[in-house]
Amino acid sequence: MPLKKDADKDVYFMSEALKEADAAFEEDETPVGACIIHEGKIIAKAHNQVELLKDPTAHAEMIAITQAAAHLKNWRLEGCTLYVTKEPCLMCSGAIFMSRVPRLVFGAMDEAAKGLRDLIHPGYESSLREMEIMGGVLADPCQKILKEFFKKVRGKSGN
């Protein structure tokens, strides 16, 4: 399917990240999905696997970054775009910056943690390299799956 406009590409690739979030939901993981694009092709796809791997760093973004670096045989992910269904936490934001991803597109804002927004808070931005950041792409479905998941989790715990 040829995609001409950046907005069309963003919606298409965020839809792919949402498929990963759906997989996480089915595995009782916090439903966050990510994919990394290089030269118009998906080179990495991942979803949260914190519970499965018993690893607090097994966020979708971290796994996708590792996959993309292996694919490119380079830790510098220059020329890539990372799509993630939820605003990255502080840990993932650091990894995104360190891996040199030049463009980040995310869906739902994280109103509780604000990790990415904390990292680019006034005073820090002068020490960070330039990165294009776009939030709110398919925000409604990205937020909806998170709300459904946490409603399900609260139902299981009896809270």
Side-chain angles (χ1 to χ4, degrees):
M1 159 194 325
L3 301 170
K4 296 184 179 179
K5 296 179 185 173
D6 283 342
D8 291 342
K9 290 178 187 176
D10 289 344
V11 167
Y12 175 79
F13 290 122
M14 187 61 73
S15 296
E16 292 298 308
L18 265 166
K19 290 177 187 175
E20 289 295 316
D22 288 337
F25 186 95
E26 294 302 318
E27 296 169 11
D28 290 328
E29 296 278 357
T30 302
V32 176
C35 63
I36 297 180
I37 311 312
H38 184 256
E39 297 179 351
K41 295 183 180 142
I42 296 174
I43 61 167
K45 291 194 303 186
H47 56 272
N48 279 6
Q49 295 184 22
V50 172
E51 299 298 332
L52 174 70
L53 299 176
K54 309 294 185 240
D55 178 356
T57 69
H59 291 196
E61 301 96 310
M62 302 293 277
I63 296 168
I65 287 168
T66 299
Q67 290 174 358
H71 176 85
L72 294 174
K73 298 177 176 55
N74 194 334
W75 63 269
R76 293 175 191 90
L77 302 184
E78 296 165 346
C80 292
T81 298
L82 168 61
Y83 292 86
V84 61
T85 58
K86 184 184 78 59
E87 179 182 3
C89 70
L90 195 55
M91 172 185 69
C92 292
S93 295
I96 292 163
F97 280 101
M98 294 303 293
S99 65
R100 312 276 200 277
V101 171
R103 185 166 187 261
L104 168 67
V105 180
F106 67 90
M109 295 278 198
D110 186 343
E111 294 303 330
K114 298 182 181 126
L116 176 67
R117 286 176 281 157
D118 283 344
L119 190 63
I120 58 175
H121 186 272
Y124 289 105
E125 74 278 352
S126 62
S127 64
L128 297 173
R129 62 181 177 70
E130 256 185 63
M131 171 192 266
E132 180 186 346
I133 301 170
M134 176 184 290
V137 175
L138 295 183
D140 289 341
C142 291
Q143 189 67 44
K144 182 180 177 190
I145 192 171
L146 288 163
K147 285 181 179 178
E148 287 177 16
F149 175 77
F150 288 112
K151 183 177 178 182
K152 179 174 95 168
V153 167
R154 284 189 295 275
K156 283 183 182 177
S157 67
N159 293 334

